[in-house]
Amino acid sequence: MDSLSSQLGGLSLRTTSSTIPSTPAVSSPRMLGYLLGKTEKHACVLHWSSGKPFTMKIASIPATFEAGKLYPFQGPADKTVFSDISEDSKKYYYCRGDISFTETGYRRRVLRGLLLGSRIRDHEQECSTVTSRSPLVISMPSRRGRIDLAWFRTEAGELFKVVVDNVKRDADSKKMTLFCTAATLLPSGLLKNSRLIHEETDQRTPIVTSVLDDFVMERRPIVTYSLLNRIYGDRGFASSTPPRDRTLVQIRKSKGDGIMLNVEQSQAVRYHTSDVYPALVIEAPPGSGKTLTAAAMALQRVGGLQLFLSTANVPVYNMAMALSDIDYGDLKIVHLESKEAAEKNRSPFAFELLTASDRALISLLELQLERARSLEKRELIDKIRQVKDDALYRSGGCDVIFGTVDKILMKLISPGGNRPCPIQRQLETAVTRIVIDEASQLTEAALNAIHLCFPTAKLVLIGDSKQLPPFRSEEGDVASKLAARSALDVLKRRSNVPVITLRQVYRAAPSAMAHYSDVFYGGALVSGKPESSRVKLSSIIKVATSCTFMEVVGSKAESFGTSRQNDKEIAALVWTINKLRLAGYDHESVMVISYYAAQQKLAKNSIPPAYEVLTVDSAQGREKDIVIVLTTVDTEAAPDFLKSPLRCNVAVSRHKEALIVLGHAALCKIEPWNMVLDNKYFTHVSLS
């Protein structure tokens, strides 16, 4: 082990692969596993110790045991006995928030549960799916290279081989569809929508899972339990004593104009600079100035390195843009962008520390990279990294780093290149503050990974617990209970850290935000935007309010795979887009949000390509002057995701000036839409 690995406790990113048809050995001690599936003779189980499922012969398993749940198992791989999970174990793993854990309990129960939950989520993300049995069609995550033959295993552990006749790739979804012929007998349980494990895939362990695995396996020690005791230990830590200084914080724009933060924003900045508490939660409803507050935090000289992170690129970019609009003096700032993010929006801090000659050289290398052959690309990427590293060496380090959670963890653990990275050295020793935006979408597993890697840094989570939880987190789902609860809720649940709520909002005028303030926030939000600033839709679609429900008469939703489409709703969208465009509101001012992925794709193909058409999940953290929401359904028997208050809140709070909801009349009878679309908030019109 080299000196750097030694300092990191051997923390590393690992790649695992399986041979055909290998079966991991199972030791005799009693183990807790997640049952993927079973037949009369075999069971397939995920355990926290491995990213690959265990397939084993069953000696005993009750017929009532169901896939998708936790069960203890014991014995060798050729004679495994399963038993029911005890009530105590259910509490430890399913109801973590109701139990106080000791430091030993954290290591043995909490940390292992987080790792198991992360492995389950990774497995679900990497799984292939049968879209048709006859003819055999399989959808799977995209892989490079040619595929002629493939081995798959069902979640019940049954192995089979296929000949791949044709492959269709979808760049948008990052999926590929295999049109296959069976080369061996297909399992009898293989049905449409069955999930499969691609046996030949080299599985790259996601970074959060890799970090948790290193701490569970004690390759790196847990340095302190100060914050962990507040999260998982007893209640009773003092958390709500505000700083005595009540003066408002003032910052200055880069052009010289001053900005005065409001009372709650100023309080949040003071808590950020204080060393009294190891963590802080900022509840930030839509348009409450959380991005500006984060930028003001970046200006504070707290000593050491500050990290400003999120789970996605857009919130990180927004924080960077907010700071670039402020006079940040001589702060040295770096934005660690991914190539994909940089192609969409180049951050003002992507090249902050580079000289003009550095930038010219990088531009030349990037041009060469676009034309390079695959064997040459690695060398060019290393040269670009070296130019940036040289600039960091010359600067002596930086004060603020922007990046995604995954990017920062990767930079700490696996920086790449042929020499030590200066940013990595700072990450190891100098981080004192970590601010995470859109923290409702940060998983509990990622929260622990970040804290364990930066144990002495103060954590500030900014988000809205009334908006969407982490991606693929579902109520009642085992993996979600184990690892994917919202970090915002996890940090708040024992009342052991201070919570500041921003109530003043600036995105929309009072009449344009009353519906979501009343329905989702109990009327507590106060708009700081004057009514005169809002768009008057009366001159466009003959209505007098900022919020309009357009009933699409005769609309009908049709199934499209596992999603749905509605042609009449799309026609109404096209009509509305054209009306707005003629009135001077084009793609720069208008955003479309769709509840269904198939409807989103149809909308993209039906209106000019410059328009943003997002799903509700991807719209969180975004805003536009005018927002059009596509609901698609044509019946009161709506799916749970349409009834979700959190998802509805996101969908109806992205607009700055006007909101248009398209849908069937049945939508007005579905909770919480029946309250949101009330006549006191929305004007109702019909389109036939």
Side-chain angles (χ1 to χ4, degrees):
M1 184 182 296
D2 60 25
S3 60
L4 177 58
S5 296
S6 178
Q7 292 170 33
L8 289 172
L11 194 57
S12 60
L13 189 68
R14 291 176 305 286
T15 300
T16 60
S17 61
S18 65
T19 55
I20 307 297
S22 76
T23 303
V26 179
S27 58
S28 57
R30 185 180 171 92
M31 306 168 76
L32 187 69
Y34 178 80
L35 183 63
L36 293 173
K38 63 184 177 73
T39 63
E40 291 183 359
K41 297 182 179 180
H42 294 89
C44 197
V45 173
L46 271 173
H47 185 255
W48 58 259
S49 63
S50 174
K52 282 287 187 180
F54 293 172
T55 300
M56 57 199 75
K57 292 183 179 180
I58 301 171
S60 174
I61 185 170
T64 56
F65 279 18
E66 302 174 9
K69 293 186 178 181
L70 298 181
Y71 297 105
F73 62 96
Q74 190 172 15
D78 59 348
K79 197 176 181 181
T80 306
V81 177
F82 285 79
S83 56
D84 209 345
I85 187 170
S86 69
E87 290 301 316
D88 284 343
S89 290
K90 285 182 182 179
K91 292 177 183 178
Y92 285 135
Y93 291 102
Y94 294 157
C95 307
R96 195 178 293 143
D98 300 333
I99 298 174
S100 295
F101 290 89
T102 62
E103 294 176 4
T104 301
Y106 173 79
R107 292 195 305 271
R108 294 182 178 177
R109 300 281 192 175
V110 176
L111 204 48
R112 290 179 180 182
L114 291 169
L115 179 55
L116 176 57
S118 294
R119 293 209 189 279
I120 296 169
R121 286 169 60 82
D122 298 344
H123 165 79
E124 292 171 348
Q125 187 76 8
E126 288 297 315
C127 264
S128 306
T129 306
V130 177
T131 57
S132 169
R133 179 183 168 100
S134 183
L136 183 58
V137 182
I138 298 172
S139 174
M140 64 181 293
S142 287
R143 300 281 187 266
R144 292 182 179 179
R146 181 186 176 96
I147 300 180
D148 296 313
L149 297 172
W151 285 91
F152 289 95
R153 189 183 296 273
T154 69
E155 288 193 313
E158 300 164 296
L159 193 69
F160 65 96
K161 182 180 178 182
V162 299
V163 176
V164 180
D165 302 315
N166 192 18
V167 178
K168 181 179 179 182
R169 301 177 189 270
D170 186 342
D172 290 338
S173 65
K174 297 181 180 179
K175 297 275 189 180
M176 62 183 187
T177 302
L178 309 184
F179 300 87
C180 310
T181 302
T184 60
L185 185 66
L186 293 180
S188 59
L190 190 72
L191 304 171
K192 183 179 180 180
N193 297 326
S194 293
R195 289 195 305 207
L196 304 173
I197 303 156
H198 184 215
E199 287 289 309
E200 295 163 298
T201 297
D202 286 338
Q203 184 176 333
R204 182 167 181 150
T205 306
I207 189 65
V208 167
T209 306
S210 182
V211 168
L212 293 175
D213 183 62
D214 278 296
F215 281 96
V216 168
M217 302 304 293
E218 299 183 357
R219 286 185 286 266
R220 192 181 189 193
I222 298 174
V223 172
T224 175
Y225 285 87
S226 175
L227 179 56
L228 295 173
N229 285 336
R230 288 178 180 256
I231 300 174
Y232 298 107
D234 294 329
R235 296 175 183 268
F237 289 88
S239 62
S240 58
T241 304
R244 293 180 180 179
D245 185 0
R246 304 285 290 177
T247 58
L248 300 182
V249 173
Q250 185 172 14
I251 56 180
R252 188 170 297 281
K253 286 188 174 181
S254 55
K255 296 180 180 179
D257 299 332
I259 303 174
M260 190 77 73
L261 301 189
N262 65 33
V263 174
E264 291 83 9
Q265 291 170 334
S266 298
Q267 188 181 28
V269 173
R270 282 192 292 272
Y271 264 105
H272 171 72
T273 59
S274 170
D275 291 322
V276 175
Y277 306 108
L280 168 67
V281 170
I282 302 173
E283 282 279 2
S288 57
K290 64 183 176 68
T291 306
L292 179 65
T293 304
M297 290 175 176
L299 298 180
Q300 309 308 307
R301 301 286 181 168
V302 295
L305 175 63
Q306 296 195 77
L307 305 181
F308 287 80
L309 315 178
S310 189
T311 58
N313 290 308
V314 171
V316 179
Y317 175 78
N318 290 342
M319 286 191 289
M321 289 300 297
L323 184 57
S324 71
D325 288 338
I326 296 172
D327 180 6
Y328 54 85
D330 60 352
L331 282 177
K332 297 174 182 177
I333 306 166
V334 170
H335 189 161
L336 300 178
E337 290 184 300
S338 66
K339 182 181 178 183
E340 180 183 9
E343 288 174 350
K344 294 180 180 179
N345 297 297
R346 175 65 79 179
S347 169
F349 302 114
F351 299 125
E352 175 70 11
L353 303 179
L354 302 180
T355 63
S357 59
D358 289 334
R359 297 180 190 188
L361 178 56
I362 286 179
S363 296
L364 177 61
L365 292 171
E366 287 181 337
L367 185 63
Q368 293 175 2
L369 186 61
E370 292 177 3
R371 303 171 180 173
R373 298 176 181 176
S374 57
L375 293 177
E376 301 170 332
K377 287 185 177 181
R378 182 71 263 168
E379 182 180 352
L380 289 168
I381 290 171
D382 284 342
K383 286 182 179 179
I384 292 171
R385 182 185 290 115
Q386 184 174 338
V387 174
K388 294 180 179 180
D389 285 353
D390 286 343
L392 283 169
Y393 277 114
R394 293 195 304 269
S395 72
C398 46
D399 303 303
V400 173
I401 294 179
F402 291 99
T404 63
V405 169
D406 284 1
K407 188 76 172 179
I408 288 294
L409 290 175
M410 187 72 75
K411 185 61 89 173
L412 172 69
I413 294 168
S414 182
N418 298 320
R419 62 175 179 169
C421 171
I423 285 183
Q424 184 193 32
R425 295 301 189 190
Q426 273 198 285
L427 291 176
E428 289 174 1
T429 60
V431 178
T432 58
R433 297 291 189 279
I434 301 175
V435 178
I436 303 180
D437 193 15
E438 295 295 346
S440 72
Q441 295 192 306
L442 182 75
T443 65
E444 183 179 2
L447 170 68
N448 277 262
I450 281 285
H451 173 62
L452 291 170
C453 284
F454 304 100
T456 59
K458 180 171 184 173
L459 279 178
V460 179
L461 299 193
I462 306 176
D464 186 358
S465 57
K466 298 186 185 299
Q467 294 191 48
L468 286 171
F471 180 60
R472 294 189 297 115
S473 177
E474 299 178 10
E475 192 69 30
D477 174 64
V478 170
S480 299
K481 289 179 179 179
L482 290 173
R485 298 182 196 272
S486 168
L488 206 62
D489 294 336
V490 169
L491 204 54
K492 286 170 50 180
R493 66 188 173 196
R494 296 192 193 277
S495 303
N496 283 337
V497 298
V499 179
I500 295 172
T501 301
L502 308 182
R503 302 187 189 279
Q504 188 89 6
V505 295
Y506 304 92
R507 177 177 293 168
S511 64
M513 49 76 73
H515 59 285
Y516 60 83
S517 175
D518 289 351
V519 175
F520 303 114
Y521 300 94
L525 305 186
V526 179
S527 175
K529 187 174 183 178
E531 286 288 354
S532 59
S533 65
R534 66 185 175 87
V535 169
K536 305 259 188 324
L537 291 177
S538 56
S539 62
I540 305 171
I541 50 178
K542 309 303 180 187
V543 297
T545 61
S546 296
C547 300
T548 303
F549 173 62
M550 290 188 177
E551 179 194 343
V552 184
V553 179
S555 70
K556 186 169 181 58
E558 302 286 348
S559 295
F560 191 86
T562 58
S563 189
R564 309 208 84 187
Q565 290 183 342
N566 188 320
D567 290 337
K568 288 208 72 172
E569 187 178 81
I570 293 297
L573 169 67
V574 172
W575 180 87
T576 305
I577 288 286
N578 287 335
K579 282 284 188 181
L580 292 171
R581 184 171 52 80
L582 292 173
Y585 299 100
D586 60 8
H587 65 276
E588 296 286 348
S589 304
V590 180
M591 178 169 69
V592 180
I593 298 174
S594 174
Y595 261 80
Y596 284 86
Q599 189 76 336
Q600 176 202 21
K601 192 168 186 178
L602 185 58
K604 280 184 175 181
N605 293 332
S606 303
I607 62 177
Y611 283 87
E612 272 192 304
V613 184
L614 307 173
T615 62
V616 182
D617 294 68
S618 59
Q620 182 158 321
R622 310 291 283 272
E623 64 179 20
K624 215 76 165 184
D625 291 341
I626 300 175
V627 173
I628 304 170
V629 179
L630 308 178
T631 56
T632 307
V633 296
D634 59 1
T635 173
E636 293 178 45
D640 289 342
F641 69 83
L642 191 77
K643 300 176 184 177
S644 164
L646 305 180
R647 184 167 274 102
C648 182
N649 185 24
V650 172
V652 301
S653 62
R654 303 299 96 198
H655 60 288
K656 293 194 285 186
E657 298 177 359
L659 173 65
I660 301 169
V661 177
L662 300 181
H664 192 275
L667 188 68
C668 298
K669 299 178 181 179
I670 300 170
E671 290 189 2
W673 290 96
N674 58 342
M675 295 180 284
V676 170
L677 299 176
D678 191 279
N679 289 322
K680 65 183 175 183
Y681 309 124
F682 278 72
T683 297
H684 289 230
V685 298
S686 297
L687 289 178
S688 55

